[in-house]
Amino acid sequence: MRRVVITGLGCITPVGNDVKTFWQTLTDGKHGFAKITKFDASELKVHIAAEVKDFDPTKYIEKSEVRRTDLFAQYAIAAATQAVEESGIVGAVPPERLGVYIGSGIGGISTFVNNTETMLTKGAQRISPLFIPMMIANMGSALVAMKYGAMGPNLPIVTACASGTHSIGEAFRAIKHGYADAIITGGAEATVNPLAIGGFINCQALSTTNDPDNSSMPFDRRRDGFVMGEGAGILVLEEYENAKKRGAKIYCEISGYGNTDDAHHITAPHPEAAGAVNLMKLAMAESKLTADENLYINPHGTSTPLNDKAETHAIKTVFGDLAYKIPISATKSMIGHMLGAAGGAEAIAAVKTLETGIIHPTANYKEADPECDLNYVPNTAREQKIDKAISISLGFGGHNAAIVLNKI
């Protein structure tokens, strides 16, 4: 079996449109929550979101193409461009050995909303001829492949909130088993619009506090839902010997992957977190990770009452008494929930933790919950020796994904 490493990172997020800014903001414990600006949310119960700020798509695509691509795809292209340029992967492997696995939970939902309004007000004959190719969730992955001539495997994964992590895990397996030499992978999402926000409000998933400083509160007793985020997190995965031979910067190794389902409920986690427990055990077994290593966990940590409780229970079930010693910090406390892009952004946070030895905090943590009683690194970053990291994503439909990263 071949070893798989990470040689490039790129992101567009609510707290920064490049990895340097993203990581600095996270370690400073600053969030990206504010009043929604993309539409008038005054009639909704939720008025805040974690929007991407100051994004200029023309840095990454031609101006003429901006109106021909949905925002989620623009985010994917932008973050992929950063990761690919850092890695230097183009030309380092044959085109047919370079793949793209960029997932999205929903895809071009803003395109869907806009064209639905056109149909209802002007008739179906006025629907854009680009409606379908802009809307479909595979187009972010397709456009990145077109930009870089990546003719290898291309697998855009749709598993709701686990899409980004599943994409990274499946890319890892494809390289490990010899189906590709490098894959551009992660997730992208752009769902700050009235249809998506309204839908998540009505299924009681979003926080309704409307206080930017007290809204996304993973593992805190006051938590009442997540804050909608958006953006993209993209990584370049590469076969180790190829990366080493060409002198590429190697951030860390991906050594394990888990993929399970709760088979329980369309939105709620399994009450005993059975799928999440099995998930971590599978990823750890492939990685040969032992519980007493210098481990860090980047959890799903949505700030919803059921998820945080179930995830805490899963970690304690897997690690026993050692669970209380493992540092755990929830990136969503600052970037909100980027849905299909969350796993990509959180994987980058885990990579940077390994690289820097700095654990970003779980922000907005004020009131302990007796059912969430682990080491959540509250409010202030911490320096600590970390050798391995687990990044976990748990999606609607019971879809669970986890990857294990380790220093080389």
Side-chain angles (χ1 to χ4, degrees):
M1 298 298 176
R2 307 189 318 162
R3 296 172 69 185
V4 182
V5 295
I6 295 169
T7 58
L9 304 174
C11 66
I12 301 294
T13 78
V15 296
N17 294 336
D18 58 75
V19 172
K20 181 179 179 181
T21 306
F22 169 70
W23 182 240
Q24 185 62 59
T25 308
L26 291 184
T27 56
D28 288 343
K30 297 178 180 178
H31 65 71
F33 311 130
K35 184 177 180 180
I36 293 171
T37 65
K38 293 190 173 183
F39 66 94
D40 181 3
S42 59
E43 295 185 0
L44 298 178
K45 291 181 181 179
V46 172
H47 305 149
I48 65 170
E51 296 180 343
V52 167
K53 293 93 175 166
D54 303 319
F55 175 66
D56 181 3
T58 62
K59 291 182 178 180
Y60 306 99
I61 59 177
E62 294 294 330
K63 187 175 181 179
S64 61
E65 291 298 310
V66 172
R67 295 183 65 183
R68 300 169 62 88
T69 53
D70 188 88
L71 186 58
F72 97 96
Q74 294 174 20
Y75 289 158
I77 295 167
T81 300
Q82 296 172 22
V84 168
E85 289 181 353
E86 181 183 41
S87 72
I89 193 62
V90 175
V93 298
E96 64 273 14
R97 301 289 295 173
L98 176 62
V100 183
Y101 285 29
I102 298 177
S104 180
I106 301 177
I109 190 169
S110 292
T111 295
F112 179 88
V113 169
N114 293 338
N115 279 271
T116 300
E117 290 176 349
T118 296
M119 181 187 70
L120 294 174
T121 58
K122 299 180 181 180
Q125 71 277 8
R126 298 293 298 275
I127 294 172
S128 169
L130 294 171
F131 168 53
I132 298 300
M134 287 176 64
M135 176 194 68
I136 50 181
N138 68 306
M139 198 51 66
S141 199
L143 290 170
V144 170
M146 293 175 200
K147 180 171 183 175
Y148 292 110
M151 300 175 69
N154 194 307
L155 189 65
I157 292 172
V158 179
T159 50
C161 315
S163 300
T165 303
H166 272 133
S167 296
I168 296 167
E170 294 298 327
F172 156 70
R173 288 275 174 84
I175 297 171
K176 179 178 179 178
H177 293 286
Y179 297 106
D181 294 328
I183 297 180
I184 305 160
T185 183
E189 206 79 83
T191 49
V192 182
N193 62 53
L195 182 64
I197 297 284
F200 277 107
I201 290 171
N202 290 345
C203 74
Q204 300 182 338
L206 297 187
S207 171
T208 57
T209 62
N210 290 312
D211 177 358
D213 296 323
N214 294 282
S215 52
S216 183
M217 303 173 285
F219 306 107
D220 188 294
R221 187 182 64 83
R222 301 166 299 147
R223 67 192 186 276
D224 70 334
F226 69 80
V227 175
M228 183 71 80
E230 61 173 351
I234 305 295
L235 305 86
V236 173
L237 273 54
E238 185 175 352
E239 191 273 324
Y240 171 67
E241 294 297 338
N242 189 78
K244 183 179 177 182
K245 182 179 179 181
R246 70 184 185 88
K249 175 179 180 177
I250 296 175
Y251 279 100
C252 62
E253 180 176 9
I254 298 187
S255 56
Y257 167 52
N259 178 1
T260 67
D261 196 278
D262 287 350
H264 169 69
H265 190 270
I266 57 173
T267 57
H270 191 283
E272 298 300 321
V277 169
N278 190 34
L279 172 80
M280 284 187 277
K281 288 181 177 179
L282 288 171
M284 291 168 61
E286 184 172 23
S287 178
K288 298 181 173 57
L289 184 153
T290 58
D292 59 350
E293 295 189 68
N294 294 313
L295 177 65
Y296 161 72
I297 295 177
N298 189 296
H300 192 52
T302 57
S303 185
T304 56
L306 292 179
N307 174 88
D308 293 4
K309 175 184 174 181
E311 193 169 14
T312 297
H313 176 74
I315 293 169
K316 290 194 285 190
T317 300
V318 172
F319 292 100
D321 290 341
L322 286 172
Y324 294 91
K325 298 180 180 179
I326 300 169
I328 302 164
S329 62
T331 309
K332 291 183 182 71
S333 66
M334 292 171 277
I335 66 172
H337 194 347
M338 292 166 59
L339 305 183
E346 290 161 10
I348 292 171
V351 169
K352 295 298 289 184
T353 299
L354 286 173
E355 181 190 33
T356 64
I358 299 173
I359 303 168
H360 77 67
T362 298
N364 309 317
Y365 187 90
K366 296 178 181 177
E367 297 185 21
D369 182 341
E371 293 184 302
C372 297
D373 57 349
L374 297 178
N375 177 11
Y376 303 117
V377 192
N379 303 314
T380 303
R382 180 186 304 169
E383 291 190 37
Q384 185 171 331
K385 178 179 172 58
I386 299 295
D387 295 320
K388 289 197 175 184
I390 302 176
S391 184
I392 300 169
S393 294
L394 312 172
F396 277 6
H399 296 287
N400 306 310
I403 54 173
V404 179
L405 310 172
N406 55 266
K407 286 184 176 180
I408 291 184

